Amino acid sequence: MQRVQVINKKPYTSRDRLLKDRRSYILKLNAIVPSNSYLISAAIPSEISYNIEEYIMNEISKIKSRNIDINDNYIQNVIRNIRQLQKSQSRNIFPKVDETYFIPGSSIKGAVRSRIEYKFMPKEGKSMSCYIVEDDFNPRYAINHIKFWGERVAISRWRCNPMRDNNICIVCDMFGSQLISSLVNFGDAYMIEGDVERLNEFNGLEAVKPNSRFELEVTCFNFDHIRLGLLFLGFELFSKSPIILGMFKYKYNPNITDKLFRGKYAIGLLRFELKEIIDDLEEHHSLDKIIQETNNALKNSEFNEYINWDVGVIKDY
């Protein structure tokens, strides 16, 4: 199997003290579902109602009070009843808290991190980033994934192992690795405008409707302009393209197929806008200026020749 070497690994950045050439930042962003897309959460919770909990507690009480013989038939009957209750109570809802819909920060962080890793395309058997999750892609099961990101995304990379050699790639340094905490933390993105719709075409799953907007806050520790540039690259702030997120993101994707949902919608697009950035000196930065400065820093860095800036960018449709 073809495999590339991850180069330029370095000892991880301090998590305890702010380095003299680094800054900490608070980023406030809007996340917008484009007018031509729906968004379905990658982790649709199936609500377990209090009826199910009550049923389980009642069964436990019966066992204690009646000395019921817990044989295989009894256990299978309990499991069957729980499954039926789960099926009847499942609401296939988009995540929400206190009646406010939200996108889990962990989902956004994973999508942004993966996008940076995939943009670090192998060149002459080398790459500047490992794959923290996927190491080997089976083309049989990842056809659309490879079609979207390009064939080189299927080439395996040595995964960072700081427990073995104390050195990691810059993406693992930013987002965390084995026993190493992250330098960047993503809050949940809460809906401030829009609504959800049950899609009968997907068994009644709730999906965020087009033009819906969310607010998100991201904190960065010990960042320089190169790391901030990589983060902006993952959010596609330079290209202003949506990123892909959630379920069915490849099924109705304009980069892969002309087949669109209801004839005109993609599924799984989310576009980010930087609304405010504040550093640890409480300095508010000009948005256009910081985006341009980080873009220049990244393009003038040793990482640039390994970055495919265009891969994953959604074309107009």
Side-chain angles (χ1 to χ4, degrees):
M1 177 177 290
Q2 186 179 6
R3 188 183 289 271
V4 300
Q5 178 186 6
V6 179
I7 62 172
N8 200 42
K9 291 184 177 182
K10 297 179 180 178
Y12 62 88
T13 302
S14 172
R15 268 61 179 163
D16 300 321
R17 60 185 179 87
L18 188 64
L19 304 180
K20 65 178 182 179
D21 59 341
R22 303 289 180 87
R23 297 262 64 88
S24 294
Y25 297 94
I26 297 175
L27 281 58
K28 296 183 179 181
L29 304 103
N30 279 349
I32 303 157
V33 181
S35 60
N36 47 15
S37 180
Y38 281 82
L39 181 69
I40 303 176
S41 174
I44 302 296
S46 177
E47 284 197 345
I48 299 180
S49 74
Y50 290 106
N51 292 334
I52 295 177
E53 295 181 8
E54 184 178 348
Y55 170 80
I56 294 173
M57 295 306 297
N58 286 339
E59 289 299 319
I60 293 174
S61 296
K62 287 181 185 178
I63 293 170
K64 290 181 176 179
S65 62
R66 302 179 187 177
N67 294 321
I68 294 176
D69 181 20
I70 308 176
N71 55 38
D72 288 344
N73 287 336
Y74 177 82
I75 293 173
Q76 290 301 319
N77 185 58
V78 169
I79 292 173
R80 186 164 46 250
N81 288 341
I82 291 174
R83 285 175 176 169
Q84 287 297 321
L85 283 168
Q86 284 180 317
K87 185 175 180 180
S88 65
Q89 296 295 331
S90 176
R91 294 173 55 196
N92 294 324
I93 63 170
F94 198 90
K96 64 180 179 179
V97 58
D98 295 333
E99 302 305 315
T100 300
Y101 292 100
F102 72 96
I103 305 169
S106 57
S107 297
I108 299 174
K109 181 179 181 180
V112 170
R113 177 183 188 145
S114 295
R115 179 164 289 261
I116 299 170
E117 291 175 351
Y118 299 154
K119 283 179 177 289
F120 270 125
M121 285 296 180
K123 180 180 179 181
E124 299 177 351
K126 300 176 182 178
S127 175
M128 286 282 193
S129 168
C130 74
Y131 287 152
I132 191 64
V133 178
E134 301 100 340
D135 192 28
D136 300 319
F137 294 106
N138 186 332
R140 180 181 176 185
Y141 301 109
I143 294 174
N144 285 336
H145 180 85
I146 294 171
K147 191 179 294 185
F148 183 84
W149 294 108
E151 292 184 0
R152 284 188 293 171
V153 78
I155 300 175
S156 295
R157 307 180 191 177
W158 294 111
R159 187 174 303 176
C160 290
N161 186 348
M163 302 303 296
R164 180 186 61 219
D165 56 19
N166 197 40
N167 292 322
I168 55 178
C169 69
I170 191 169
V171 180
C172 284
D173 187 44
M174 291 168 56
F175 288 86
S177 185
Q178 299 179 49
L179 302 181
I180 297 176
S181 61
S182 177
L183 291 175
V184 56
N185 295 305
F186 287 63
D188 296 331
Y190 290 94
M191 182 182 285
I192 58 173
E193 180 182 334
D195 205 349
V196 300
E197 177 182 340
R198 287 193 178 276
L199 303 182
N200 294 328
E201 296 90 336
F202 297 105
N203 297 319
L205 286 176
E206 281 189 347
V208 174
K209 297 171 70 172
N211 297 313
S212 295
R213 302 171 72 90
F214 297 78
E215 283 185 335
L216 168 70
E217 185 170 290
V218 177
T219 60
C220 310
F221 179 70
N222 259 338
F223 264 43
D224 54 17
H225 271 31
I226 291 175
R227 286 166 172 77
L228 202 56
L230 285 173
L231 184 63
F232 288 176
L233 182 71
F235 275 118
E236 292 292 358
L237 296 183
F238 302 134
S239 70
K240 299 183 180 180
S241 163
I243 71 168
I244 54 173
L245 183 75
M247 299 175 67
F248 308 111
K249 60 181 179 286
Y250 294 132
K251 184 176 178 64
Y252 296 99
N253 189 295
N255 280 22
I256 297 176
T257 177
D258 293 330
K259 179 184 177 183
L260 296 176
F261 177 60
R262 296 177 180 171
K264 60 179 180 179
Y265 295 106
I267 290 183
L269 303 190
L270 190 64
R271 182 170 58 84
F272 290 90
E273 292 180 349
L274 183 62
K275 304 302 294 181
E276 187 177 12
I277 178 167
I278 310 169
D279 67 19
D280 51 287
L281 300 177
E282 297 186 357
E283 178 182 347
H284 291 254
H285 293 263
S286 164
L287 302 183
D288 291 339
K289 183 179 179 182
I290 194 70
I291 289 175
Q292 188 59 56
E293 287 176 348
T294 55
N295 183 285
N296 292 339
L298 196 55
K299 286 185 174 178
N300 291 326
S301 74
E302 59 193 322
F303 301 102
N304 184 50
E305 65 175 304
Y306 291 92
I307 295 174
N308 185 333
W309 293 75
D310 294 328
V311 72
V313 171
I314 302 294
K315 67 182 181 180
D316 295 330
Y317 65 100

